Amino acid sequence: MNLRQLYYFKKLAEKEHYTIAAAELSITQPSLSHSIAELERELGVYLFEKQGRNIRLTKYGRFYLTYVEKSLAELEKGEKLLHELTSPSHGNIDLGFIYTMGAHTVPELVQNFTKAENHKDITFSFYQGATKSIIPDLKNEKFDLAICSYVENEPDIEFLPLTKQELVIVVAENHPLAKYDSIDLKDTAEYSYIFFSDTSGLRPLIDSLFAEINIQPKIGCYVEEDTAMVGLVSVDYGISIMPKISSLAHYNVKVLSINEPKHERFIYLASLKNHYISPASKAFKDFALRYGEKHFL
């Protein structure tokens, strides 16, 4: 059984005449007769019976037709939706991103991307998480693109720099360090830290900074997400080292620049190598990299 036989069966059921049905299908009558005979042989039942010069569906043919019509309708619906999803001007983009990108970077990219007339009907589905949860989902094709930290030993993923983030020390407004505007990381060693969990893509960089100055930080607790971290800092539960995100201005905290050690924190646009990407996703990827180079890097 194949899809063509089902279309032939449906057309013959509508016309109840081999010659007319064959003409509309642009095939010969013998070809249509052979195809229907093969379908009946496979199903083990007659689908049509003669009625004068015409034919009509048998009881079993009418029963089977209801399922064929539903199946073909679903296939046609799927084909239509597939064309919409992969259209360069009407597609949908599944975008995963780390928490710190949600307040400013992703909204700015999407806003400017959809300003273009040929992009205004492209839609997005957004997903947030830590880098270590985003990368497996990207590899499993849950996302078309991801904005996240770089991860070592991922040969199937292309990481392209999109933006930079400054790392800062954040303390409560009444903390002893709040009298400073900048500080060396080594001068924070005596204080307890609220630290990113090991699922954070930022952890390797933070760990490397402490290793560079040969200090083991005092860690009071671990969190995964930035707003939880700064919320705990604001009640003086500990200090933190984290990206300088815009939402810090809304908390009762003091932000200190890090003098030493020097560092650069890049965020990347990640996609699967040698993998099909829809026209809409490709358009957004190209736009995001151009925009990032001009405005973020």
Side-chain angles (χ1 to χ4, degrees), residues 49-120:
E49 58 188 1
K50 289 185 178 180
Q51 186 179 45
R53 293 186 176 183
N54 293 352
I55 57 169
R56 68 178 182 183
L57 287 166
T58 65
K59 168 186 174 181
Y60 306 105
R62 290 193 300 273
F63 171 83
Y64 188 55
L65 179 62
T66 60
Y67 290 92
V68 170
E69 287 177 331
K70 289 177 184 177
S71 299
L72 294 179
E74 282 298 302
L75 288 172
E76 289 168 2
K77 178 181 177 183
E79 182 179 1
K80 179 182 177 182
L81 290 174
L82 183 62
H83 286 310
E84 290 177 359
L85 287 172
T86 58
S87 165
S89 59
H90 290 80
N92 182 77
I93 301 168
D94 291 306
L95 179 65
F97 54 90
I98 56 177
Y99 295 109
T100 55
M101 295 292 100
H104 177 71
T105 303
V106 169
E108 183 174 341
L109 284 172
V110 171
Q111 180 187 42
N112 284 280
F113 176 71
T114 53
K115 279 181 180 178
E117 181 64 25
N118 58 330
H119 297 157
K120 64 182 180 65

Side-chain angles (χ1 to χ4, degrees), residues 35-46:
S35 182
I36 296 301
E38 285 293 313
L39 180 59
E40 290 177 327
R41 187 176 300 112
E42 184 170 346
L43 293 172
V45 65
Y46 287 108

Side-chain angles (χ1 to χ4, degrees), residues 195-210:
F195 229 58
F196 281 110
S197 65
D198 58 9
T199 61
S200 169
L202 191 54
R203 267 294 295 278
L205 175 58
I206 293 175
D207 289 342
S208 72
L209 293 180
F210 281 100

Side-chain angles (χ1 to χ4, degrees), residues 151-186:
V151 178
E152 297 282 354
N153 302 316
E154 289 292 351
D156 297 327
I157 297 179
E158 179 183 43
F159 291 93
L160 297 173
L162 177 66
T163 185
K164 288 194 290 188
Q165 282 185 321
E166 179 187 358
L167 292 186
V168 293
I169 300 296
V170 184
V171 303
E173 287 185 333
N174 60 347
H175 193 275
L177 294 179
K179 61 185 177 181
Y180 300 105
D181 293 321
S182 63
I183 195 169
D184 289 349
L185 189 60
K186 64 181 178 62

